[in-house]
Amino acid sequence: INHIVHNGGLYKRPFNEAFEETPMLVAVLTYVGYGVLTLFGYLRDFMRQWKIEKCQNATERDEQKDFVPLYQDFENFYNRNLYMRIRDSWNRPICSVPGAKVDMMERVSHDYNWTFTYTGRVIKGIINMGSYNYLGFAQKEGTCQEAAAKVLSQYGAGVCSTRQEMGNLDKHEELEKLVARFLGVESAMTYGMGFATNSMNIPALVGKGCLILSDELNHASLVLGARLSGATIRIFKHNNMQSLEKLLKDAIVHGQPRTRRPWKKILILVEGIYSMEGSIVRLPEVVALKKKYKSYLYLDEAHSIGALGPSGRGVVDYFGLNPEDVDVMMGTFTKSFGAAGGYIGGKKELIDYLRTYSHSAVYATSMSPPVVEQIITSMKCIMGEDGTTVGKARVQQLAENTRYFRRRLKEMGFIIYGNEDSPVVPLMLYMPAKIGAFGREMLKRNIGVVVVGFPATPIIESRARFCLSAAHTKEMLDTALKEINEVGDLLQLKYSRHRLVPLLDRPFDETTYEETED
Amino acid sequence: QEKEELIEEWQPEPLVPPIPKDHPALNYNIVSGPPSHIITVNGKKCINFASFNFLGLLDNEKVKSAAQASLKKYGVGTCGPRGFYGTFDVHLELEERLAKFMRTEEAIIYSYGFATIASAIPAYSKRGDIVFVDEAACFAIQKGLQASRSNIKLFKHNDMTDLERLLKEQETEDQKNPRKARVTRRFIVVEGLYMNTGDVCPLPELIKMKYKYKVRIFLEESLSFGVLGEHGRGITEHFGINIDDIDLISANMENSLASIGGFCCGRSFIIDHQRLSGQGYCFSASLPPLLAAAAIEALNIMEDNPDIFQTLRAKCERIHKALQGISGLKVVGESFSPALHLQLEESCGSRENDVKLLKRVVDYCVNSGVALTQARYLEKEEKCLPPPSIRVVITVEQTEQELDKAASLLKEAAQSVLN
């Protein structure tokens, strides 16, 4: 049973999001699995300490042996004993453009993943379901690459100065005007790194005496930015609007914790698509709440810009809302535009303020010119301003791929989290052994997937995450689906019992909020 | 019912305060074309004395063609963090080359210079640890320290007696509570060549203190990498110190290497930890391959022409001497430092007025063909705000006539504006 929210007609299309509950047996077996691994971990540590087994990780210098130890032993327990066993699923080196198919350098380990050696062979033509290449702009030929090559030969690769000093090129001004037009806002500003955009601008916007309401599953950059700002942080349950409303009411009625003075500002931090869950933020409801309680909204569209919406303008376009309702629209260029960097868009006063007070404008180097050109060309392509319909076709292809892939996986019986329209597809694995096994089996069949476990996800909810791309053709998706089916039968991953829990029926308990004051 | 009223009445502050149109930091200089040796600022062609392009590699044809080749092979972006198919063979090659060049075991690359030291410090230093940091440390270090939540103890700039006093105080604290002292890590964070003052840190004395008080040293070499030392290896080569004595060296590739990003190098024991706990490494997309290829080519050029470092130092000495004796402005920085500051000898009362005065000097110079800029800071956020100054950057591409022209122009400007 899928849940369709009506809520006074705020939603113009059905919002189908579901998180199937973990089957009880699977949860128990997962805990048992971790227990066994922990026991073995203690045993191996014991053997290493008593020199029965050789210690293979790097150690401190002899001259510094009497210094205070740099790492506490238990901090690295997880690293040494659990992560090391399946380390080959991550940091896989590739040597071609990260498009729909990729070439990977083969590496083997003769000592159980402590060290890797490269055989020199290259595995060609692996179907890439791991790179964030939503619209397929990671290409090594085409208009974008040619334009970037021209700019590279004219401007060079680096900039060697900050925005406020001598690093503001005419290309940056052009890009900012284009981004503002793309998003439908008054003005925009761009930065060299998406992570840094959050961690350097949130402190410029809020400070002590302000309140930040942040979603449970926000990205590390948002959490770091919120912490560095010095404001009070309260966390609401993931995508849960009652939780958010309760926090807003309490905040305005009770004021600051000790002094009872009213808050200076309230900022709500949400993301467009959450990359580990595949869920889309309930933006119409958030905007309604924000207007009712007079707070400000900061939307991080790292994954949703370009990937959602009939014309690719992100989650605001997807819901058909007015971009002016979102106070701060932030996003990154790494995912859908095939470049690097981040942007913030909003009203002119906001952007003028950021130009003067953003940490990045004063102390960090500006974006590299060929990267800027790549963004300009790809953005024009998506908007259709380059005279072709390639952009629109890609956006539609991505939407079709998403629906097809999710439908087929659900039919096969896997547990898939998230919204039906999100191109990020998490497939639940749960058990620690299956994390490594899934990654390796899929690689044997020439499909590259991303597996994630603790600490990026809760400890029993490890998953494999597929990122769909407009560059994936139907044949590639069919091949991938066939292999996933095989591996799913082999590893017994088809947990789903088609019992989808409607969202509002989940028990809503009293929100406990964490306050952090630096 | 009361609650409804409270909600109605509450008025938040505006999201951002309005900025006056003539705020000095609001109107950026627009550079049309590449920011290389001859730069077009706001429509005027000038000689570039403001970009940190120390070795002149921004315009180098070999670097550009290496980047072009990489662009043709990999496209522009990497579409993923290092852990998820974002590790390219160029990244691995660059890390190996940097480690070999600096003669350490391992190196790790970040995609943004600011994020390098700001992610490295919180990876090792946590709540309860103690960090002794110089007052004049740059903003990125300050942000890294803030993110780490450790106890920060500032010592006066380059003052070893002050540092020794703080270390002794810490020692007496430790004797009172030996159990806590056994698990509290201590670090000293210094820069090789300070961005805010142009001085070098006294590294040999710091090493002595390291072993005496059992503190680890983190060295930030953004300005000194590719500048100091016989082969450009930085301040450790300059003073002839064994590189293993320094626990972590962090530098950004945006100055001498004319690329984007940063790196940390050191022993594997230390660097490997950042691969899982450096926030700017794990949670952010990797460096675009064309920039990594540009950095590799720049390293090649540095290794093949070791005499450019001597040339650069000679030019710095020359202009340092030429700028002495300008009435009204004093030179701040070592004689071999390629990034100097020119501060007002006497302040005219408020920081705002000083800034306006210096702006007139800078405008005079830009109008006559020498591009300079004021050093920019976030006034409310810096721990120890340096006084307003003009930043003068010397690159290896500037000829002796150009250096002399710049010096005489500054003399003229100071005369006309300040007198």
Side-chain angles (χ1 to χ4, degrees):
Chain A
I1 316 134
N2 281 339
H3 190 87
I4 301 180
V5 177
H6 290 293
N7 208 340
L10 278 177
Y11 287 82
K12 299 191 177 72
R13 60 190 322 164
F15 187 84
N16 295 327
E17 195 163 282
F19 298 91
E20 189 170 332
E21 252 184 36
T22 315
M24 180 56 82
L25 179 62
V26 174
V28 166
L29 284 176
T30 312
Y31 281 123
V32 167
Y34 276 108
V36 167
L37 280 168
T38 319
L39 274 172
F40 268 94
Y42 280 127
L43 177 66
R44 302 287 284 274
D45 273 350
F46 179 76
M47 290 181 14
R48 272 189 277 260
Q49 202 182 4
W50 287 93
K51 309 260 192 289
I52 304 175
E53 184 179 322
K54 194 167 62 140
C55 186
Q56 279 164 334
N57 47 352
T59 48
E60 182 65 275
R61 277 174 88 203
D62 286 327
E63 295 93 333
Q64 293 182 214
K65 275 266 183 307
D66 52 349
F67 280 42
V68 176
L70 195 53
Y71 315 119
Q72 307 294 355
D73 277 337
F74 72 86
E75 263 174 42
N76 275 3
F77 181 83
Y78 179 81
N79 189 10
R80 273 196 309 274
N81 297 310
L82 275 72
Y83 174 72
M84 274 298 169
R85 288 169 185 269
I86 45 175
R87 197 160 82 114
D88 59 317
S89 316
W90 294 292
N91 293 308
R92 289 182 175 161
I94 65 178
C95 47
S96 76
V97 64
K101 285 206 177 175
V102 76
D103 300 335
M104 207 180 93
M105 288 165 64
E106 197 185 21
R107 56 179 185 172
V108 289
S109 174
H110 300 291
D111 50 2
Y112 299 102
N113 288 347
W114 284 99
T115 57
F116 289 109
T117 42
Y118 295 101
T119 60
R121 245 184 14 115
V122 169
I123 313 176
K124 287 194 185 288
I126 300 183
I127 298 183
N128 184 0
M129 312 230 48
S131 290
Y132 301 135
N133 182 19
Y134 297 133
L135 291 179
F137 279 110
Q139 294 167 303
K140 59 180 184 180
E141 58 234 345
T143 42
C144 299
Q145 187 264 353
E146 283 164 25
K150 225 165 66 184
V151 167
L152 174 60
S153 58
Q154 192 194 359
Y155 284 80
V159 184
C160 299
S161 187
T162 65
R163 269 325 266 288
Q164 282 196 0
E165 294 188 7
M166 205 48 86
N168 184 38
L169 307 176
D170 46 0
K171 279 275 161 211
H172 294 132
E173 304 265 324
E174 195 190 324
L175 174 63
E176 289 177 356
K177 290 200 185 72
L178 184 62
V179 170
R181 218 152 31 96
F182 181 76
L183 296 173
V185 289
E186 278 180 25
S187 157
M189 184 167 179
T190 54
Y191 305 94
M193 187 198 200
F195 186 97
T197 311
N198 279 331
S199 63
M200 295 203 218
N201 289 310
I202 298 181
L205 293 173
V206 289
K208 270 199 170 6
C210 304
L211 176 65
I212 293 185
L213 295 174
S214 130
D215 190 294
E216 234 181 338
L217 300 176
N218 268 338
H219 189 254
S221 57
L222 288 165
V223 172
L224 182 63
R227 268 184 45 211
L228 285 177
S229 67
T232 314
I233 308 176
R234 291 190 186 157
I235 302 187
F236 63 91
K237 289 206 186 301
H238 178 59
N239 236 359
N240 191 324
M241 296 298 115
Q242 289 97 325
S243 169
L244 177 58
E245 180 153 18
K246 184 173 191 308
L247 283 180
L248 278 166
K249 269 209 184 99
D250 282 346
I252 301 184
V253 166
H254 295 295
Q256 295 189 30
R258 281 186 296 266
T259 58
R260 298 284 174 189
R261 261 183 273 173
W263 295 103
K264 284 197 206 155
K265 305 179 218 179
I266 300 185
L267 186 68
I268 306 177
L269 294 179
V270 284
E271 290 189 37
I273 293 185
Y274 290 91
S275 57
M276 282 300 150
E277 302 282 316
S279 48
I280 299 184
V281 66
R282 294 172 176 275
L283 199 58
E285 292 178 62
V286 175
V287 169
L289 278 176
K290 160 194 112 87
K291 285 186 178 153
K292 182 172 170 194
Y293 293 97
K294 293 181 272 210
S295 45
Y296 301 110
L297 181 58
Y298 186 107
L299 179 65
D300 177 343
E301 290 206 79
H303 286 268
S304 52
I305 190 76
L308 283 185
S311 53
R313 312 267 166 124
V315 71
V316 168
D317 191 30
Y318 176 74
F319 286 113
L321 299 171
N322 187 354
E324 299 195 356
D325 284 334
V326 179
D327 301 289
V328 188
M329 287 183 73
M330 176 264 170
T332 62
F333 297 119
T334 331
K335 280 99 188 180
S336 306
F337 300 96
Y343 67 84
I344 290 196
K347 294 216 160 23
K348 189 161 183 317
E349 295 89 53
L350 170 70
I351 301 297
D352 278 346
Y353 181 82
L354 286 178
R355 280 192 213 278
T356 1
Y357 289 105
S358 160
H359 305 186
S360 168
V362 186
Y363 293 107
T365 317
S366 31
M367 282 171 88
S368 160
V371 172
V372 171
E373 186 62 27
Q374 160 82 11
I375 304 169
I376 293 180
T377 345
S378 57
M379 212 178 251
K380 284 196 177 145
C381 183
I382 298 178
M383 296 204 289
E385 285 186 7
D386 59 342
T388 67
T389 50
V390 166
K392 212 163 166 56
R394 285 187 191 202
V395 172
Q396 275 167 354
Q397 177 74 28
L398 177 65
E400 274 173 38
N401 284 356
T402 311
R403 277 193 288 269
Y404 177 66
F405 197 76
R406 276 178 171 265
R407 186 171 53 83
R408 288 288 307 274
L409 281 179
K410 284 217 182 88
E411 282 168 9
M412 286 181 203
F414 294 100
I415 296 186
I416 308 285
Y417 273 11
N419 195 302
E420 266 187 25
D421 287 320
S422 99
V424 174
V425 187
L427 186 151
M428 300 312 288
L429 297 172
Y430 299 114
M431 296 187 206
K434 298 191 185 179
I435 306 175
F438 190 78
R440 289 175 195 148
E441 288 295 320
M442 294 303 285
L443 189 59
K444 268 194 233 162
R445 294 168 167 74
N446 255 11
I447 306 204
V449 298
V450 158
V451 288
V452 263
F454 184 78
T457 62
I459 194 152
I460 59 165
E461 290 178 16
S462 0
R463 57 200 74 177
R465 190 183 67 173
F466 302 104
C467 288
L468 296 167
S469 160
H472 285 140
T473 60
K474 194 152 183 303
E475 293 80 39
M476 287 188 215
L477 288 183
D478 285 333
T479 329
L481 283 164
K482 186 165 74 74
E483 304 294 350
I484 296 175
N485 203 358
E486 259 180 54
V487 174
D489 285 326
L490 181 65
L491 296 178
Q492 297 190 356
L493 289 172
K494 300 190 179 178
Y495 302 117
S496 172
R497 285 176 224 167
H498 295 284
R499 240 189 337 123
L500 300 164
V501 179
L503 250 74
L504 280 183
D505 292 353
R506 268 184 165 183
F508 168 61
D509 46 15
E510 287 297 298
T511 312
T512 48
Y513 34 74
E514 298 168 31
E515 274 178 29
T516 39
E517 278 164 20
D518 277 323
Chain B
Q1 206 48 29
E2 256 179 41
K3 295 196 176 179
E4 302 288 326
E5 280 176 25
L6 281 168
I7 294 174
E8 281 288 314
E9 285 172 7
W10 180 68
Q11 280 298 337
E13 279 182 9
L15 182 57
V16 287
I19 303 285
K21 267 204 183 338
D22 58 353
H23 195 284
L26 185 54
N27 305 310
Y28 294 167
N29 297 324
I30 304 186
V31 174
S32 2
S36 51
H37 179 56
I38 302 288
I39 188 175
T40 316
V41 181
N42 296 332
K44 298 186 208 34
K45 258 180 122 132
C46 308
I47 310 170
N48 191 351
F49 273 82
S51 299
F52 290 109
N53 183 14
F54 300 139
L55 302 177
L57 293 171
L58 201 50
D59 229 1
N60 189 304
E61 282 311 315
K62 277 206 265 183
V63 168
K64 280 194 203 173
S65 51
Q68 290 275 13
S70 157
L71 179 60
K72 283 199 183 52
K73 188 174 174 201
Y74 299 107
V76 176
T78 56
C79 300
R82 285 293 287 263
F84 302 152
Y85 302 100
T87 306
F88 284 51
D89 45 356
V90 263
H91 296 134
L92 298 171
E93 197 189 327
L94 180 57
E95 288 182 352
E96 261 179 55
R97 291 292 306 278
L98 282 167
K100 210 166 68 170
F101 181 74
M102 295 293 284
R103 290 189 270 196
T104 57
E105 276 179 22
E106 207 177 320
I108 179 175
I109 298 183
Y110 285 83
S111 56
Y112 202 50
F114 190 99
T116 313
I117 191 70
S119 306
I121 296 180
Y124 302 102
S125 181
K126 314 272 181 197
R127 203 192 274 269
D129 295 334
I130 302 173
V131 183
F132 300 95
V133 70
D134 192 301
E135 267 183 355
C138 68
F139 195 72
I141 296 180
Q142 291 173 29
K143 283 293 140 186
L145 292 170
Q146 194 186 355
S148 74
R149 299 187 178 182
S150 321
N151 298 335
I152 319 249
K153 300 203 158 71
L154 295 165
F155 62 90
K156 294 200 187 48
H157 179 53
N158 271 353
D159 189 346
M160 291 297 108
T161 36
D162 201 34
L163 176 58
E164 183 124 29
R165 173 184 65 89
L166 284 171
L167 286 166
K168 278 206 168 59
E169 274 174 25
Q170 185 57 39
E171 223 181 357
T172 40
E173 282 284 322
D174 288 343
Q175 281 161 358
K176 288 185 206 152
N177 197 341
R179 278 190 69 196
K180 186 170 157 202
R182 239 178 296 139
V183 290
T184 316
R185 297 171 274 236
R186 296 128 227 266
F187 303 95
I188 295 180
V189 179
V190 279
E191 290 186 44
L193 195 58
Y194 286 92
M195 176 101 123
N196 293 346
T197 62
D199 301 323
V200 290
C201 71
L203 203 53
E205 282 121 55
L206 278 169
I207 303 279
K208 284 202 206 96
M209 284 211 230
K210 166 183 169 159
Y211 287 112
K212 186 167 165 201
Y213 294 97
K214 316 243 182 293
V215 209
R216 294 175 200 266
I217 299 190
F218 284 176
L219 188 59
E220 222 270 310
E221 289 223 68
S222 292
L223 287 187
S224 49
F225 178 76
V227 169
L228 294 181
E230 206 189 303
H231 297 277
R233 294 200 175 97
I235 197 170
T236 45
E237 208 181 18
H238 180 80
F239 281 117
I241 293 180
N242 179 7
I243 199 140
D244 280 338
D245 277 333
I246 311 285
D247 294 276
L248 178 80
I249 296 185
S250 138
N252 70 19
M253 305 196 281
E254 294 161 359
N255 301 335
S256 313
L257 286 179
S259 176
I260 304 267
F263 68 93
C264 285
C265 58
R267 295 183 67 241
S268 293
F269 175 65
I270 305 211
I271 299 296
D272 217 32
H273 181 68
Q274 278 183 51
R275 292 199 195 270
L276 280 181
S277 55
Q279 293 221 318
Y281 181 81
C282 304
F283 295 113
S284 179
S286 46
L287 186 65
L290 67 100
L291 295 170
I296 295 178
E297 192 59 37
L299 257 185
N300 285 345
I301 296 179
M302 272 172 72
E303 288 182 349
D304 291 336
N305 313 359
D307 43 336
I308 45 177
F309 308 114
Q310 193 49 40
T311 329
L312 180 63
R313 275 197 288 274
K315 296 200 178 174
C316 299
E317 304 258 355
R318 192 193 174 95
I319 200 165
H320 192 92
K321 219 163 54 184
L323 287 175
Q324 303 288 352
I326 301 186
S327 62
L329 292 174
K330 64 176 165 152
V331 181
V332 172
E334 294 270 343
S335 62
F336 50 78
S337 153
L340 324 153
H341 290 264
L342 284 171
Q343 290 173 7
L344 288 171
E345 269 182 8
E346 284 174 27
S347 158
C348 40
S350 75
R351 196 187 169 93
E352 242 190 87
N353 290 341
D354 286 345
V355 165
K356 284 202 183 104
L357 207 55
L358 286 171
K359 184 168 182 329
R360 285 169 56 196
V361 176
V362 167
D363 286 340
Y364 185 103
C365 293
V366 170
N367 283 334
S368 324
V370 166
L372 290 172
T373 176
Q374 280 197 52
R376 301 274 182 197
Y377 305 104
L378 274 175
E379 282 146 25
K380 300 199 193 92
E381 309 268 340
E382 284 260 4
K383 279 213 170 86
C384 298
L385 186 58
S389 61
I390 301 179
R391 193 184 297 242
V392 180
V393 176
I394 294 102
T395 75
V396 91
E397 285 183 321
Q398 292 155 353
T399 63
E400 310 210 328
Q401 292 98 314
E402 288 171 343
L403 290 172
D404 291 334
K405 175 180 174 191
S408 60
L409 195 55
L410 273 164
K411 279 201 180 74
E412 257 181 64
Q415 282 281 46
S416 82
V417 171
L418 298 172
N419 290 344

